[in-house]
């Protein structure tokens, strides 16, 4: 693949740099020949997992919540796309707020005032607007929150060099952010609905504090094929040298500048959306605009040089809540042939094939994903649990 094509695929792809020919060819994951269900089928692969976790009360508050100036703009943009048969007038208002986490401003959107709590977690290069077709629909019967992970969207973007060489933009950081958000803002247990690398964030959070997460839905979770553990020994020095070049030379910023344009973002999205008519001007603007804010380039370069941290196959066995995996079968970045291996984990109750869908099912086919979320939550929201204690 030519460098220009590699740059475009690498830059703002939601798959955490799972581009096949950047360093080495993809290798096949070992898996059993376990059949997976398709979206049109009603049965499940495994019996529903009933949670037997003791839910411990929480006792700390970690931040402050305030209104954001983006509220009117974000709310007006939500109504642009149909998400179900019900009219938009029946959908709840979507509010945009900010939350102070460890001294940083975190943007989130929310809708609905009753029902189980859902927290929607975006992928690499995206933000809470990537759930704009899901929040209003799900908010009719749930308390829905969509958060901008620190470093992305309209959340703060602290310079990674300010942390004394210690990695900051990691799944551990984002997992802590997600759990603290539930403690301080949601004030309840929640279901985590995640796309791409957001799936790693949800898994990390669920493993770190299992008393918070009631269930995980992972939509085309990142396989992390460029993780250092998945590279042949001979390639590792080259990978480190390339990462060092991007992070510590002008090459990185030039690289970012070349892809942070409407044309490049549109081309990248047209790669990962099977239905290219869904790559609208609204979507391009939603992804690109926050990526042009101060500090975004440093976050981008830091994360594309992050080839460590956990893998899905390391976290899945540790999860203590039910997990459902949905996978668009036309995803060119995270092939379903590799993703099927995750159906073999005992913690995964169901692997659902989403036919004719690419890497971002929640945005490309919300009419398919929204009911799937509703049914998964309905199966597990009746599990007995304690409300959070003093917060």
């Amino acid at each position: 693949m030519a460098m220009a094509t590699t740059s475009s695929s690498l830059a703002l792809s939601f798959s955490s740099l799972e581009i096949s020919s950047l360093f080495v060819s993809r290798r096949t994951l070992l898996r059993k020949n376990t059949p997976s269900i398709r979206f049109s089928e009603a049965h499940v692969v495994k019996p529903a997992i009933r949670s037997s976790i003791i839910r411990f009360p929480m006792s700390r508050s970690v931040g402050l919540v305030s209104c954001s100036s983006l509220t009117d703009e974000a709310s007006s943009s939500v109504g642009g796309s149909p998400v179900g048969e019900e009219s938009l007038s029946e959908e709840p208002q979507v509010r945009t707020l900010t939350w102070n986490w460890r001294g940083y401003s975190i943007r989130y959107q929310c809708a609905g005032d009753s029902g189980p709590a859902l927290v929607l977690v975006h992928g690499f290069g995206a933000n809470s607007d990537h759930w704009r077709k899901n929040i209003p629909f799900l908010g009719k019967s749930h308390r829905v929150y969509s958060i901008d992970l620190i470093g992305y969207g309209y959340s703060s973007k602290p310079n990674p060099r300010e942390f004394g060489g210690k990695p900051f933009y990691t799944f551990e950081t984002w997992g802590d952010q997600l759990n603290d958000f539930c403690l301080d803002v949601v004030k309840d247990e929640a279901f985590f609905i995640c796309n791409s690398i957001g799936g790693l964030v949800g898994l990390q959070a669920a493993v770190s504090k299992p008393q918070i997460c009631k269930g995980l839905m992972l939509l085309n979770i990142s396989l992390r094929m460029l993780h250092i553990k998945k590279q042949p020994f001979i390639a590792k020095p080259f990978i480190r040298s390339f990462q060092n070049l991007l992070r510590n030379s002008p090459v990185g910023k030039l690289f970012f500048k070349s892809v942070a344009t409407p044309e490049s973002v549109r081309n990248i999205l047209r790669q990962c959306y099977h239905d290219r008519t869904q790559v609208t001007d609204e979507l391009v603007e939603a992804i690109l605009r926050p990526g042009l804010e101060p500090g975004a380039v440093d976050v981008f370069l830091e994360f594309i040089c992050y080839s460590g941290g956990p893998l899905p196959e390391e976290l899945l066995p540790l999860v203590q809540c039910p997990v459902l995996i949905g996978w668009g079968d036309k995803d060119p970045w995270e092939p379903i042939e590799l993703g099927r291996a995750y159906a073999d984990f005992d913690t995964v109750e169901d692997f659902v094939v989403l036919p004719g869908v690419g890497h971002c099912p929640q945005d490309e086919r919300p009419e398919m994903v929204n009911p799937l979320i509703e049914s998964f939550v309905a199966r597990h929201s009746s599990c007995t649990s304690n409300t959070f204690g003093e917060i």
Side-chain angles (χ1 to χ4, degrees):
M1 182 181 295
M3 183 61 186
T5 304
T6 300
S7 299
S8 296
S9 299
L10 182 64
L12 294 173
S13 71
F14 309 125
S15 59
S16 183
L17 306 182
E18 310 307 333
I19 307 303
S20 61
S21 61
L22 180 60
F23 297 121
V24 295
S25 300
R26 291 185 181 272
R27 294 180 294 163
T28 303
L29 294 174
L30 295 176
R31 63 180 179 86
K32 303 174 187 176
N33 292 321
T34 302
S36 58
I37 73 167
R38 299 193 68 82
F39 185 79
S40 59
E41 298 176 0
H43 67 277
V44 297
V45 175
K46 302 175 184 178
I49 299 172
R50 293 295 179 183
S51 174
S52 59
I53 307 165
I54 298 175
R55 307 281 176 178
F56 299 101
M58 297 296 148
S59 61
R60 67 186 181 95
S61 179
V62 292
L64 300 173
V65 179
S66 62
C67 291
S68 166
S69 60
L70 297 173
T71 302
D72 294 339
E73 177 183 328
S75 297
S76 64
S77 69
V78 170
S81 302
V83 293
E85 296 181 357
E86 295 81 354
S87 67
L88 289 173
S89 62
E90 298 175 355
E91 295 173 346
Q93 177 186 10
V94 178
R95 296 175 294 156
T96 299
L97 306 172
T98 57
W99 165 54
N100 187 312
W101 181 62
R102 301 181 181 178
Y104 301 113
S105 176
I106 304 298
R107 180 187 79 144
Y108 69 95
Q109 301 181 58
C110 58
D113 54 12
S114 63
L118 316 181
V119 181
L120 315 182
V121 188
H122 63 80
F124 174 63
N127 57 77
S128 60
D129 291 333
H130 212 197
W131 300 93
R132 69 199 183 285
K133 299 178 184 178
N134 317 98
I135 302 170
F137 181 90
L138 296 171
K140 289 182 290 187
S141 54
H142 306 82
R143 291 169 290 144
V144 184
Y145 302 84
S146 180
I147 189 171
D148 285 1
L149 297 174
I150 190 166
Y152 293 108
Y154 296 97
S155 290
S156 293
K157 300 170 179 62
N159 192 316
R161 298 179 185 273
E162 296 175 357
F163 299 91
K166 181 180 179 181
F168 178 73
Y169 292 105
T170 66
F171 295 113
E172 290 79 8
T173 297
W174 291 316
D176 288 346
Q177 179 189 351
L178 189 55
N179 282 329
D180 287 348
F181 181 77
C182 291
L183 291 172
D184 206 51
V185 177
V186 181
K187 299 183 185 298
D188 200 355
E189 303 164 317
F191 291 86
F192 298 158
I193 315 299
C194 315
N195 176 227
S196 193
I197 69 158
L200 272 297
V201 176
L203 283 171
Q204 182 65 56
V207 169
S208 299
K209 283 190 167 62
Q211 64 269 33
I212 291 178
C213 184
K214 282 185 68 70
L216 272 167
M217 180 178 287
L218 309 175
L219 299 171
N220 289 66
I221 185 172
S222 171
L223 297 163
R224 302 207 69 200
M225 293 304 293
L226 294 182
H227 193 285
I228 197 68
K229 292 181 180 179
K230 296 187 176 183
Q231 307 312 313
F233 179 79
I234 193 172
K236 292 180 181 180
F238 172 74
I239 294 172
R240 295 190 183 97
S241 297
F242 183 68
Q243 291 172 338
N244 184 65
L245 178 69
L246 289 177
R247 187 190 285 123
N248 300 313
S249 76
V251 172
K253 286 183 170 58
L254 290 173
F255 173 40
F256 179 80
K257 184 177 180 180
S258 71
V259 295
T261 67
E263 182 180 1
S264 293
V265 172
R266 186 181 301 276
N267 288 337
I268 293 166
L269 292 169
R270 285 170 63 86
Q271 290 177 21
C272 68
Y273 279 60
H274 183 63
D275 180 1
R276 293 184 172 185
T277 66
Q278 298 302 311
V279 181
T280 62
D281 291 342
E282 177 193 15
L283 175 61
V284 172
E285 175 75 5
I287 299 300
L288 177 61
R289 184 178 173 189
L292 299 177
E293 291 205 329
V297 60
D298 296 309
V299 177
F300 167 79
L301 294 175
E302 185 70 13
F303 188 71
I304 67 174
C305 295
Y306 176 51
S307 56
L311 293 165
E313 52 266 37
E314 294 171 342
L315 294 175
L316 277 169
L318 306 178
V319 172
Q320 300 180 43
C321 64
V323 178
L324 184 146
I325 297 178
W327 213 287
D329 66 354
K330 300 300 183 182
D331 188 343
W333 294 341
E334 312 291 351
I336 192 169
E337 291 77 14
L338 303 182
R340 290 181 194 274
Y342 296 145
D344 295 340
F345 286 90
D346 291 337
T347 51
V348 176
E349 70 169 30
D350 207 349
F351 187 99
V352 180
V353 177
L354 305 175
V357 186
H359 185 64
C360 308
Q362 80 281 4
D363 189 59
E364 185 176 347
R365 292 295 301 276
E367 73 281 4
M368 184 181 290
V369 171
N370 287 338
L372 189 63
I373 295 172
E374 287 186 316
S375 63
F376 174 68
V377 172
R379 285 202 300 274
H380 299 289
S381 60
S382 61
C383 297
T384 301
S385 63
N386 298 324
T387 57
F388 279 17
E390 298 178 2
I391 295 190

